[in-house]
Amino acid sequence: MPEQTGILLRPLTEEGRTVAISGVGVAAPSLLLPVASINESWGRKGGRGQLAVCRSDEDTLTLAVAAAMRALHAGELSPERVGGLWWGTTRSPFAEGPAWSYVAAMLRLDSDCDGSILSGSPHSGIEALLAAVDAMKSGRVDNALVVTSDALIPALGSTHETACGSGAAAWLLSREGPAQLISTASSWEPVLDRYRGSTEVETRDAYDGRLFRDEIFLPIVSRTALALGAPTDTRWSTADPDGRLGSLAAKELSDDPPVSLGTRRQLGDTASAAAMLGASAALDEPGPLAIIGYGGGRATSILIEVDQPVAGAGRVEECLDKGQPATYTQVLRARGQLKPSGESVEMAVPPGSAMFVRDEREVLGLLGARCVECNTVNLPPSVHPSCPGCGGTKFDIQRLPTTGVVQTYVINQTMPAPFEAPLPLVVVDLSDGSRVQLQGADDGSDLAVGSEVELVPRRYTIERGVPVYGWKVRTLGDSQ
Amino acid sequence: MSWNRVSVVGAGLIKMGELFDQSYEQMARGAFDAAIASVDHGMDPKDIDAVFVATQRGTLWGQEGIGGNTVPSALGLNGVACTRIENACPSGSDAFRVGCMAVASGLHDVVLVIGVEKMRDKSSEEGLLARAAGGHPVYTRGESAPVLFAPFATRHMHDFGTTKEMLASVAVKNHHNGKLDPYAHFQYEVTVEQVLNAPEVCSPLGLLDCCPQTDGAAAVLITTPERAADYTAKPVQVAGIGIATDHPYLHEKDNFVGMSATVGASSRAYEMANLGPTDMDMAEVHDCFTITEILDIEDLGFFEKGKGGIASLEGETALDGSIPINTSGGLLAKGHPIGATGIAQLTECWWQLREEAGDRQVKLRSGNALQHNVGGRGSGVSVVNILTIAE
């Protein structure tokens, strides 16, 4: 086989066309699974560390929205001013469908917003970042929201199962900012590595661990990283499929362990989000920083020069520190790998109903109609031609706030599949005076009348194969 | 308001319960026969020239989209005018209201109002619980029946200091009354401790705070006062009727300590009857959950807002209290076959006013009784009917 070690190397910042990072946001799911509990379930001993896993109402899309909201908040950019949304995720929740549009709607971006979704391998996170940079360099957009997220379903009993984590990172790119993107290098080989066929649900590793390490991961990643010519004091954030490969790759590059080691230990392998997620906290400190994304036989490195702390970087750790311990059985059920027998209760309204065409943007974007006569806000607007307060018929459509206080609530303990008990339902008085009823996002044990809550993006159900998204209520932490 | 009077000349029901051995049609026939048998001077079924049938959930027994024609056929009245009324939990009491309109207008002379509901032909999971997947796919998702009422308990307890013991006292009282009612689904007493220690269904409500799912049927016969004389010397008159609506979503409520539909329906019924809450000798009210009865007795004007819990605890609503509530055992003990519920409540009022209620007979002072339902998405429909023995 002829030696093929070519590298595509190019600058990201040229005269008059700079690209900088002006805001950072991250998100992690609600459950934490000890690796040892997976091993124990399969009759194997040992296993260190933990993996972040989605509840049944979280997925790569809800994580993406949560991280992006924080990046916009940190970068102080209102949604209607976002020039483009680039989302990288190994596996979109819709094999074919409106995944990008749903994220854009939940973020309340304008209809003329640019962008794309990149998927197909864990390399897609880096691809999203580069696609956004290219759009900025071309002058198409003045800012860009880059989101990377993953929450894969691992094959049961596979080595991937003991590595598969989940999480999301979002970076807001602007012309000016405290951290500049300097250069990038890419390389590839036509190899399988992590794999899921088009008719398969679960992802698995294709190769023997040492074959993957010695012949695939380390050679491709090393040459791509070295090509950057990064300063010797550069901090590295690396893809880290098994929890050791990241450190091994970094050994050739730096005396220090990779800065991504913390998030890898906390969340497991976050796949397409790993490189950006691992570097997000490091954007809080000045100095050179490089990220390496890997997947599908491709590696890409990007050199960043951090001049000043990036907004939001200082809050990364607290945002990721939210998971609650879960058992292996809970995780299997949450991922849909353990299912009750029999038929589950169908929604009255099928996903193909015209109702969703009418009000999906209102529901995803949390839009309300404020009566111009009496100021009452009601939702969703499409079922309220008349104001419940005064009967008025003229409204201003508004983006509702995502914080409020509990007016009243219940915790339902008796729900048939596909519902899971305990299921809290909460009536919330939002901070603009509007009122909304939504499900609780966890077990509801910390709810009380008058307690402060936030609305978080969640997947309500998968109905006839179609995910249905909306907002749920969670007691306000300090991670807003 | 001027209207032609309506008299109730017969009423009856079947023993409520899990009637796995009876079809919808057989239950209807049983209630109809009981009502005909109750007519003092007898009634030829051919006298009936219209039927209004209340069935809320045809989907529970394979009769999606049925009209009113199932019932006349089952009753041997094929060909008679018949309309099905479906208006949530007040379906039965609303069918009664529509029947009264038919008589008062002169369009029909002798009207059968019958409520029939099969709640147990499907399992709980596929029955009422499946409702949780109905409505708006996000904003009402998970809204099974207790979710419509339990938030009011949370807030009533928060605002007024209402306790779980006060809620429990409603269940204890209604089970006591139900044991005295041979038609009740449950024929046993419960203690406050049993109610408090029952498994939680939907916080803050436990299993014994909730009515059961019950099969059942009930029927009343109404006519003009002139025709009533042919059938009985002890007719009961319809004194007032009220119906009111409220917004269907919980987030549209302006408070969670009362139900404006109940307030609206009762104020209309009181005004029509020229009577007030203190004129009532007893009331059959919608106690689908213990908290609902506490809300009802406040919203109907029997007690000040916020005082319903303590009034229940102190026995004000017992058979010998200042205003006996749910002498039949209520929905909590007698059961809640939705379309039949309102008609069964009217039957209890009819018995009480004719002093035929046996061991649970209340003392008549003014000769008036009130019947009430509230329900539907957001508890947004309420009907109140007031019966009287006054001329």
Side-chain angles (χ1 to χ4, degrees):
Chain A
M1 190 170 75
E3 187 85 347
Q4 291 278 342
T5 54
I7 303 284
L8 173 68
L9 178 66
R10 59 191 177 106
L12 295 177
T13 293
E14 293 156 280
E15 201 65 34
R17 293 262 193 229
T18 57
V19 179
I21 306 167
S22 55
V24 177
V26 297
S30 298
L31 305 179
L32 285 176
L33 176 67
V35 171
S37 70
I38 303 174
N39 286 338
E40 188 188 357
S41 302
W42 292 103
R44 301 188 298 250
K45 292 210 185 309
R48 281 180 305 171
Q50 61 185 22
L51 306 169
V53 181
C54 288
R55 264 170 50 113
S56 61
D57 60 0
E58 298 171 311
D59 66 9
T60 185
L61 188 148
T62 66
L63 291 172
V65 173
M69 284 173 70
R70 289 183 178 134
L72 287 176
H73 186 255
E76 295 176 11
L77 188 71
S78 62
E80 64 271 22
R81 291 180 50 219
V82 171
L85 165 70
W86 280 267
W87 179 24
T89 179
T90 303
R91 184 184 181 188
S92 154
F94 301 84
E96 298 172 27
W100 184 93
S101 313
Y102 271 38
V103 173
M106 293 193 93
L107 293 172
R108 305 151 163 194
L109 307 184
D110 275 357
S111 286
D112 61 357
C113 184
D114 201 343
S116 57
I117 177 170
L118 297 104
S119 62
S121 85
H123 192 253
S124 53
I126 286 285
E127 291 167 24
L129 178 55
L130 289 178
V133 169
D134 286 344
M136 287 188 64
K137 286 175 69 180
S138 75
R140 269 161 61 205
V141 295
D142 285 324
N143 64 59
L145 182 56
V146 181
V147 194
T148 61
S149 63
D150 256 328
L152 298 172
I153 308 292
L156 297 178
S158 69
T159 51
H160 179 46
E161 190 183 25
T162 58
C164 181
S166 39
W171 290 1
L172 182 62
L173 305 184
S174 311
R175 294 266 171 240
E176 309 284 334
Q180 297 234 336
L181 303 186
I182 306 298
S183 59
T184 182
S186 281
S187 189
W188 58 269
E189 293 291 346
V191 288
L192 279 171
D193 66 79
R194 186 156 295 164
Y195 182 77
R196 180 174 69 86
S198 61
T199 59
E200 294 173 82
V201 173
E202 297 166 349
T203 300
R204 57 197 156 90
D205 291 317
Y207 295 126
D208 171 87
R210 286 198 291 282
L211 167 65
F212 178 65
R213 180 186 70 191
D214 296 338
E215 299 298 323
I216 298 169
F217 184 85
L218 288 178
I220 303 176
V221 163
S222 296
R223 72 188 188 226
T224 309
L226 290 167
L228 276 183
T232 53
D233 60 343
T234 298
R235 296 159 296 160
W236 294 85
S237 170
T238 66
D240 196 348
D242 73 350
R244 293 182 296 272
L245 288 169
S247 298
L248 276 177
K251 248 181 198 166
E252 284 190 64
L253 307 166
S254 168
D255 293 337
D256 297 317
V259 292
S260 48
L261 203 56
T263 51
R264 178 62 180 78
R265 284 183 174 151
Q266 200 169 8
L267 307 178
D269 177 20
T270 54
S272 69
M276 277 171 55
L277 192 48
S280 289
L283 289 168
D284 201 37
E285 282 182 37
L289 175 67
I291 64 175
I292 313 171
Y294 172 83
R298 303 179 69 187
T300 296
S301 58
I302 295 176
L303 182 60
I304 302 161
E305 185 60 43
V306 184
D307 299 323
Q308 300 286 329
V310 177
R315 306 195 54 228
V316 165
E317 273 184 44
E318 61 178 279
C319 289
L320 297 181
D321 189 26
K322 294 286 168 202
Q324 296 295 315
T327 64
Y328 187 55
T329 316
Q330 282 176 306
V331 164
L332 289 182
R333 199 171 61 153
R335 281 174 169 156
Q337 293 173 303
L338 180 66
K339 291 181 179 144
S341 61
E343 302 294 317
S344 71
V345 177
E346 285 193 342
M347 284 194 320
V349 183
S353 164
M355 179 178 183
F356 283 98
V357 179
R358 286 193 298 271
D359 83 358
E360 193 66 282
R361 200 153 171 145
E362 300 172 348
V363 174
L364 293 176
L366 204 67
L367 303 182
R370 183 178 288 282
C371 174
V372 301
E373 298 294 332
C374 75
N375 259 345
T376 299
V377 182
N378 57 78
L379 73 165
S382 59
V383 303
H384 284 97
S386 307
C387 170
C390 72
T393 56
K394 289 194 171 65
F395 305 97
D396 289 328
I397 303 298
Q398 298 192 331
R399 296 173 166 94
L400 298 181
T402 54
T403 57
V405 297
V406 174
Q407 164 66 218
T408 187
Y409 71 99
V410 300
I411 301 167
N412 202 336
Q413 306 285 4
T414 50
M415 300 299 292
F419 296 96
E420 287 173 36
L423 177 65
L425 277 102
V426 192
V427 179
V428 181
D429 292 340
L430 296 175
S431 55
D432 68 345
S434 54
R435 185 170 281 179
V436 61
Q437 176 201 341
L438 294 165
Q439 289 185 8
D442 45 34
D443 68 4
S445 56
D446 54 0
L447 288 170
V449 172
S451 61
E452 293 187 43
V453 292
E454 62 178 334
L455 307 192
V456 291
R458 286 293 186 269
R459 188 180 68 200
Y460 265 72
T461 185
I462 297 176
E463 176 72 23
R464 289 164 247 206
V466 181
V468 177
Y469 295 94
W471 297 82
K472 291 191 180 183
V473 178
R474 183 170 71 181
T475 304
L476 190 60
D478 44 9
S479 58
Q480 174 62 21
Chain B
M1 193 189 306
S2 162
W3 61 297
N4 298 317
R5 307 296 290 203
V6 178
S7 302
V8 185
V9 297
L13 70 161
I14 59 171
K15 164 81 169 70
M16 307 287 191
E18 292 182 326
L19 306 179
F20 298 122
D21 60 342
Q22 291 186 45
S23 67
Y24 175 92
E25 292 81 358
Q26 287 169 320
M27 295 195 307
R29 181 81 219 192
F32 175 62
D33 290 346
I36 290 286
S38 75
V39 179
D40 293 334
H41 303 160
M43 178 185 282
D44 182 347
K46 291 197 181 68
D47 292 351
I48 296 167
D49 65 343
V51 177
F52 294 93
V53 53
T55 292
Q56 151 69 7
R57 295 232 152 205
T59 52
L60 292 180
W61 56 287
Q63 291 273 310
E64 295 80 2
I66 61 158
N69 54 328
T70 303
V71 165
S73 174
L75 303 186
L77 299 175
N78 194 39
V80 75
C82 184
T83 300
R84 176 174 151 188
I85 309 289
E86 179 179 324
N87 206 356
C89 290
S91 292
S93 39
D94 193 21
F96 181 77
R97 168 181 161 272
V98 174
C100 289
M101 295 197 305
V103 171
S105 70
L107 195 63
H108 294 291
D109 275 340
V110 179
V111 166
L112 167 70
V113 183
I114 183 165
V116 194
E117 203 76 51
K118 258 289 167 206
M119 305 289 288
R120 297 290 291 128
D121 269 21
K122 281 188 182 174
S123 70
S124 297
E125 285 74 15
E126 292 185 58
L128 271 202
L129 281 174
R131 171 199 173 93
H136 192 277
V138 169
Y139 287 122
T140 61
R141 186 165 176 80
E143 214 179 68
S144 59
V147 172
L148 295 173
F149 296 91
F152 290 79
T154 303
R155 194 73 209 195
H156 205 276
M157 293 166 83
H158 176 269
D159 287 10
F160 301 121
T162 303
T163 63
K164 286 192 175 184
E165 287 77 7
M166 293 177 190
L167 298 179
S169 70
V170 173
V172 171
K173 183 257 301 174
N174 289 355
H175 273 260
H176 173 77
N177 294 352
K179 200 179 173 196
L180 302 176
D181 180 355
Y183 295 94
H185 184 166
F186 293 147
Q187 303 274 342
Y188 54 83
E189 305 253 2
V190 296
T191 64
V192 169
E193 290 67 35
Q194 284 174 315
V195 180
L196 294 179
N197 293 328
E200 186 168 85
V201 168
C202 182
S203 73
L205 304 177
L207 186 62
L208 292 172
D209 288 294
C210 307
C211 70
Q213 294 193 43
T214 302
D215 299 321
V220 297
L221 293 158
I222 57 178
T223 187
T224 62
E226 297 74 32
R227 287 294 299 276
D230 298 342
Y231 298 116
T232 178
K234 280 172 63 182
V236 170
Q237 312 294 342
V238 180
I241 300 173
I243 178 168
T245 54
D246 190 26
H247 302 296
Y249 291 101
L250 282 179
H251 71 250
E252 296 166 317
K253 307 289 170 196
D254 60 5
N255 74 78
F256 291 88
V257 294
M259 294 193 161
S260 67
T262 297
V263 174
S266 59
S267 63
R268 286 170 189 165
Y270 288 138
E271 186 185 342
M272 182 172 170
N274 197 26
L275 296 170
T278 55
D279 298 315
M280 299 300 131
D281 289 343
M282 56 82 66
E284 286 280 295
V285 307
H286 199 82
D287 59 327
C288 50
F289 301 94
T290 50
I291 181 61
T292 323
E293 180 169 315
I294 288 174
L295 299 173
D296 296 340
I297 60 178
E298 297 170 355
D299 294 336
L300 294 167
F302 297 133
F303 299 96
E304 261 179 67
K305 182 50 66 187
K307 302 278 203 256
I310 189 73
S312 299
L313 189 69
E314 292 180 348
E316 295 287 327
T317 56
L319 289 177
D320 59 353
S322 61
I323 173 74
I325 300 290
N326 286 330
T327 57
S328 69
L331 284 56
L332 286 167
K334 188 167 68 178
H336 185 20
I338 304 177
T341 295
I343 315 288
Q345 291 173 312
L346 285 161
T347 302
E348 177 71 6
C349 293
W350 190 74
W351 281 330
Q352 290 283 359
L353 291 176
R354 287 164 54 96
E355 301 192 275
E356 295 171 352
D359 290 344
R360 56 186 198 283
Q361 180 63 48
V362 303
K363 189 170 163 44
L364 296 187
R365 297 175 309 245
S366 312
N368 305 308
L370 180 147
Q371 176 266 333
H372 158 262
N373 292 123
V374 64
R377 188 70 69 188
S379 302
V381 189
S382 177
V383 172
V384 169
N385 294 302
I386 297 174
L387 303 184
T388 184
I389 50 173
E391 289 301 315

